Amino acid sequence: MKFFNFFTLYAKRTVRDRMFFLIMFLFPMLLIWLLGSAFSGLMGDSGTEGEVVVSANLIYTVEESSHMSDLFTEHMTEDNEFFTMTRHNDIKIGEEKIRRNEYDAYVIVGRDKITVYKNSYYNFSSSMGELIIKAFADDYNLMYEIAVTDPSKLSQEESISGRRFTEEISFDRQRMPRAIDYYGVTMSTMFMFYGVIFLGTYFAGNRQNKTEDRIKASPASILSYQWGTALGNIVLIVLQAVVIISAGILIFNIYWGEALGISMLVILGEIIMISSLGTILGLTFKSENAVAGISQVAIPAIVFLGDGYTQIGGTGVILAIKKISPMYWINHGLFDAIYLNEYKTAFISIAISLGVAAVCTLVVALLNRNRRTEDE
Amino acid sequence: MIIECRGLEKSYKNIKALKGLDLSIQEGTIYGLLGPNGAGKSTFINIVAGLVRADAGSLSVAGKSIPGESNAVKKKMGFVPQDLAIYEDLTAYENISFFTSLYGLSGKEKRKKVEKALEFVSLTDRKKDLVKTYSGGMKRRLNLACGICHEPEILFLDEPTVGIDPQSRNHIMESIRKLNKNGMTVIYTTHYMEEAESLCDRIGIIDHGKIIAEGTLDDLQKIISENELLFIEATGDIGALTGKISKTVGILEAYAEENGILVKHNGQKGILENIIKHATDTGSEIHSMESRRPNLEDVFLSLTGRTLRD
Ligand SMILES: Nc1ncnc2c1ncn2[C@@H]1O[C@H](COP(=O)(O)OP(=O)(O)O)[C@@H](O)[C@H]1O
Ligand SMILES: [Mg+2]
């Protein structure tokens, strides 16, 4: 199969490139370590296990003094590295603040029930807040309820209430992401994305150095060339992912959660997506430099919007923009799976990745057809 | 005829690269396509290779029409493109091996052919070095090897000797002769008349996308050998001298060249005296005059009024 010849040629030429090892293996380890230690230093005591990069900002109201509210004020109101808990006595003001997303979650301590209100806009911190309360309720065998509100459908009369879910989820309070856990994930997904550049410049480079002409003049089909090469990239990046994730676990003890299978599917989705993006870039842009140039601008933007460098928060328009970044879904899909054991975001991210790949495949097929009929 | 081409046309935006190209090439020959830069040589090769589609006309290779049935003949053809088309980050061996595998060869058979091709272009002792460490001539030879390793029946070479040292050039010319002896049909494009003269069985002279003369070297020389050809080596105001000479009785044509004037005349008496007189009049100095057998450069000049070189 000629397909296999293209596959091995890509692997051979790419592996031989020193930049490939530097960018794909060395840099991620370096940045995980660097950002992990820099941010843990800022967050509190260095060197201990407990430093967190994601902390929840909560407000609460005690509806009625009770045994429960005593427990709550005793155990939950002292500021710590996981969350801050601010008291507000007026429920109306509390609701308003949560609508405007000033806090990550709103906790109402009732007589025999704790209710957590959170914004329906996805936010890792508010999920953390929810889990903190769940953990507290679990510890003391209390009843709790989660309510979700959608601030985009703001109406003054409509009070916060909505979907309720009471399913049990396990939560290990020790397992809050440290800075290094956070960057262990986001730097891995970011540096995998750089596979776009290697594949894109490979395709563009073959056009520039005219070897593509030899391939086109040969009996090998253009499809075996494109698919063989793209698959070569998929395999290389899978290897990269395995290496940097294992190294992260072994060297930095990075937590990847229980549902490693789901996380790996998210990552495989990302790899398939970046390989399809690399193919498109390589086939449409004129030169290697153009491909590298656009990627070097686009990737940091995509990563930034995906909370890859730091949690940038944001509501409304900003959040909507963030959601355009496939990295947003990949990173949050992973964090949800790792820390919350919730897989919805993970599956959305897989769907988005495969969707992007499908669109790219279609565009490449159309490009092939046009080139065949009207060249140059 | 292994290659038949009728009325081939191709335009790029507003440039007409081919304006009705006709060619018939016989199996087993070395056919030279001689023409200046921009004549349309590469465009023709690219159409045969399936990289470019013709706007009009017909083309068949080994009885199969292109592009319609090109898959049926791609295996039989080999290409040596004008621009180097090799991977600098691979070794010579890896380059040849990869391109050969695209023609369906593998395993022991492929390895044997790769070694043979390396031997053929004298790169065996450097086969394990990365191509980026090669000289220009070595890269050209590798470019050739990548196109012939699968042992095509028809080989297209697009200016394979541009910009290399004389030694590598001779090597390549020699290699092509050998390949042809073993039965390969060779289509060779060039803008060097010496190459076409020494290498090719038949030559087509191409200019502005059309064949303007075709035949063996003898056939082509006959186009002007009925007239005498005289080359005057001169310095001074060559332009003015050429103008005067061309208006002299018995002179058919005169062209200014780099270091002299090429004159086509009818052998009439008194021509030399007149030329010397004109030289004195224009203040030019004549260093030598020689009568010569026309070469392809002269043929081209007499057909187009221009030289092959840019
Ligand atoms: N891809 C292209 N786009 C636009 N013009 C081209 C292209 N390729 C060739 N040409 C033009 O077509 C003409 C013939 O070019 P070419 O076939 O390369 O000539 P040759 O190989 O004889 O030097 C030239 O005028 C050249 O500028
Ligand atoms: Mg050319």
Side-chain angles (χ1 to χ4, degrees):
Chain A
M1 261 298 263
K2 279 150 203 166
F3 167 87
F4 196 69
N5 294 314
F6 293 115
F7 177 92
T8 43
L9 189 77
Y10 178 77
K12 190 192 269 181
R13 292 185 60 211
T14 306
V15 165
R16 230 172 249 188
D17 183 356
R18 278 201 201 105
M19 285 307 277
F20 182 72
F21 283 96
L22 218 62
I23 293 177
M24 303 302 265
F25 294 92
L26 218 61
F27 281 13
M29 297 324 291
L30 209 67
L31 268 150
I32 290 168
W33 174 71
L34 220 67
L35 292 173
S37 36
F39 279 93
S40 73
L42 286 178
M43 296 260 159
D45 302 334
S46 57
T48 59
E49 281 285 312
E51 317 114 13
V52 271
V53 67
V54 181
S55 64
N57 198 8
L58 310 174
I59 47 169
Y60 74 100
T61 300
V62 173
E63 260 184 345
E64 199 174 327
S65 268
S66 62
H67 172 62
M68 180 134 80
S69 65
D70 291 345
L71 276 175
F72 189 86
T73 35
E74 187 183 339
H75 295 284
M76 299 297 285
T77 52
E78 228 167 73
D79 279 359
N80 59 52
E81 54 187 327
F82 301 121
F83 58 88
T84 58
M85 192 70 80
T86 314
R87 184 168 182 147
H88 257 281
N89 286 333
D90 188 338
I91 291 192
K92 275 266 167 294
I93 292 173
E95 284 179 352
E96 192 51 36
K97 283 191 182 299
I98 203 71
R99 271 206 194 98
R100 284 198 257 116
N101 225 27
E102 285 174 29
Y103 291 89
D104 294 321
Y106 182 29
V107 185
I108 295 174
V109 184
R111 178 164 188 77
D112 45 19
K113 192 174 78 177
I114 294 181
T115 310
V116 180
Y117 292 104
K118 60 173 195 172
N119 205 301
S120 69
Y121 279 145
Y122 176 80
N123 180 333
F124 189 61
S125 306
S126 72
S127 298
M128 296 305 299
E130 171 193 333
L131 279 161
I132 287 158
I133 303 304
K134 274 187 183 175
F136 166 74
D138 281 346
D139 284 354
Y140 295 97
N141 229 351
L142 306 170
M143 270 179 64
Y144 63 86
E145 191 173 65
I146 308 292
V148 179
T149 177
D150 182 349
S152 70
K153 299 198 182 86
L154 242 178
S155 99
Q156 288 303 332
E157 293 91 68
E158 185 196 345
S159 146
I160 297 172
S161 77
R163 209 151 55 87
R164 284 150 194 248
F165 45 101
T166 48
E167 85 271 27
E168 289 292 318
I169 57 168
S170 64
F171 176 66
D172 174 3
R173 218 200 290 201
Q174 294 314 114
R175 247 356 322 178
M176 301 292 279
R178 299 165 300 158
I180 204 157
D181 289 321
Y182 189 79
Y183 290 113
V185 171
T186 62
M187 287 297 109
S188 297
T189 55
M190 172 171 101
F191 279 101
M192 281 185 258
F193 220 96
Y194 279 90
V196 167
I197 299 188
F198 288 93
L199 183 62
T201 55
Y202 185 90
F203 276 120
N206 281 358
R207 184 144 13 85
Q208 253 180 318
N209 71 18
K210 303 287 179 184
T211 48
E212 190 189 88
D213 287 352
R214 266 198 206 281
I215 292 165
K216 282 182 175 168
S218 82
S221 76
I222 198 80
L223 279 181
S224 66
Y225 167 52
Q226 290 163 347
W227 280 90
T229 308
L231 220 73
N233 190 63
I234 289 176
V235 168
L236 283 192
I237 309 299
V238 165
L239 279 176
Q240 179 212 13
V242 168
V243 169
I244 59 178
I245 289 170
S246 326
I249 293 171
L250 294 173
I251 302 170
F252 303 119
N253 195 22
I254 286 163
Y255 185 61
W256 275 89
E258 315 279 274
L260 213 56
I262 303 276
S263 300
M264 291 307 118
L265 283 181
V266 172
I267 281 170
L268 187 64
E270 178 188 355
I271 293 170
I272 291 171
M273 173 177 68
I274 62 170
S275 298
S276 69
L277 287 174
T279 307
I280 283 273
L281 284 184
L283 295 181
T284 48
F285 280 71
K286 274 223 153 61
S287 70
E288 283 186 77
N289 287 341
V291 172
I294 183 92
S295 308
Q296 277 155 6
V297 173
I299 294 175
I302 290 168
V303 171
F304 176 75
L305 291 175
D307 288 335
Y309 300 115
T310 180
Q311 285 259 328
I312 52 176
T315 53
V317 180
I318 294 172
L319 190 74
I321 292 171
K322 281 175 72 174
K323 284 184 172 178
I324 294 171
S325 165
M327 221 50 173
Y328 176 90
W329 297 99
I330 290 165
N331 284 337
H332 289 287
L334 289 171
F335 284 131
D336 280 8
I338 295 169
Y339 293 101
L340 314 180
N341 291 321
E342 277 193 27
Y343 308 128
K344 197 175 132 216
T345 322
F347 288 126
I348 293 174
S349 106
I350 294 169
I352 288 174
S353 295
L354 296 183
V356 171
V359 170
C360 290
T361 308
L362 204 70
V363 173
V364 170
L366 288 175
L367 284 177
N368 287 343
R369 225 175 64 180
N370 284 351
R371 292 238 163 106
R372 229 178 302 144
T373 46
E374 61 161 313
D375 57 76
E376 300 300 308
Chain B
M1 293 289 150
I2 198 158
I3 294 174
E4 283 276 4
C5 157
R6 291 284 161 267
L8 217 53
E9 287 178 26
K10 172 70 196 174
S11 298
Y12 297 104
K13 292 181 192 105
N14 43 14
I15 300 167
K16 278 207 147 195
L18 293 182
K19 304 175 192 164
L21 190 80
D22 296 319
L23 269 182
S24 301
I25 297 173
Q26 202 175 355
E27 196 169 350
T29 55
I30 303 183
Y31 191 93
L33 205 52
L34 175 71
N37 279 330
K41 303 183 294 295
S42 296
T43 301
F44 169 68
I45 303 273
N46 287 342
I47 290 172
V48 181
L51 305 178
V52 166
R53 232 172 222 254
D55 302 329
S58 69
L59 170 69
S60 78
V61 175
K64 304 288 177 195
S65 77
I66 290 189
E69 303 169 290
S70 49
N71 282 338
V73 284
K74 274 186 161 184
K75 246 187 167 144
K76 296 184 181 174
M77 299 193 285
F79 293 93
V80 178
Q82 176 172 0
D83 300 312
L84 291 175
I86 47 182
Y87 298 108
E88 301 251 334
D89 52 354
L90 295 181
T91 67
Y93 188 98
E94 289 165 332
N95 267 285
I96 302 173
S97 172
F98 169 70
F99 289 118
T100 305
S101 66
L102 301 185
Y103 288 82
L105 291 152
S106 62
K108 209 171 167 182
E109 189 193 3
K110 181 177 79 176
R111 283 200 294 278
K112 246 168 72 184
K113 287 197 171 160
V114 174
E115 290 293 351
K116 195 172 149 192
L118 281 163
E119 193 65 47
F120 190 72
V121 296
S122 303
L123 285 174
T124 305
D125 52 337
R126 293 290 302 274
K127 68 179 177 184
K128 285 186 174 152
D129 295 340
L130 294 183
V131 173
K132 58 179 156 220
T133 65
Y134 287 12
S135 71
M138 290 166 73
K139 286 179 188 172
R140 280 274 158 206
R141 267 142 57 199
L142 175 60
N143 199 41
L144 172 66
C146 290
I148 59 165
C149 185
H150 62 286
E151 298 180 349
E153 292 171 27
I154 313 157
L155 178 64
F156 296 85
L157 298 126
D158 196 0
E159 309 213 27
T161 61
V162 166
I164 56 166
D165 56 292
Q167 212 179 341
S168 284
R169 170 190 266 210
N170 290 339
H171 190 293
I172 287 179
M173 306 289 285
E174 217 31 68
S175 312
I176 292 164
R177 279 193 197 97
K178 260 191 258 171
L179 290 170
N180 175 249
K181 266 209 192 91
N182 296 335
M184 210 181 269
T185 307
V186 176
I187 291 85
Y188 188 99
T189 84
T190 183
H191 68 274
Y192 298 118
M193 60 139 191
E194 301 89 348
E195 290 186 352
E197 282 178 356
S198 76
L199 188 68
C200 302
D201 303 317
R202 287 184 80 85
I203 297 156
I205 297 180
I206 179 172
D207 189 41
H208 292 315
K210 263 186 148 152
I211 298 289
I212 53 172
E214 206 266 353
T216 61
L217 181 58
D218 269 351
D219 295 341
L220 293 171
Q221 283 169 334
K222 275 188 199 127
I223 294 176
I224 52 174
S225 67
E226 290 120 45
N227 309 302
E228 311 262 331
L229 214 54
L230 188 66
F231 184 73
I232 305 162
E233 195 192 346
T235 49
D237 193 349
I238 292 182
L241 181 57
T242 310
K244 285 220 160 190
I245 291 175
S246 62
K247 287 183 193 115
T248 311
V249 189
I251 302 285
L252 302 171
E253 276 167 279
Y255 309 102
E257 287 202 340
E258 216 169 296
N259 49 358
I261 300 158
L262 187 70
V263 174
K264 220 158 88 175
H265 63 92
N266 59 10
Q268 205 171 307
K269 269 192 183 152
I271 282 177
L272 293 185
E273 288 83 342
N274 278 332
I275 287 173
I276 291 163
K277 189 175 156 285
H278 289 319
T280 332
D281 291 353
T282 56
S284 313
E285 194 178 332
I286 290 176
H287 302 288
S288 72
M289 282 203 260
E290 62 171 330
S291 194
R292 82 167 184 227
R293 191 180 152 78
N295 58 30
L296 289 176
E297 183 76 57
D298 304 326
V299 174
F300 187 80
L301 196 61
S302 90
L303 288 170
T304 66
R306 287 174 289 115
T307 61
L308 275 168
R309 286 156 281 139
D310 309 317

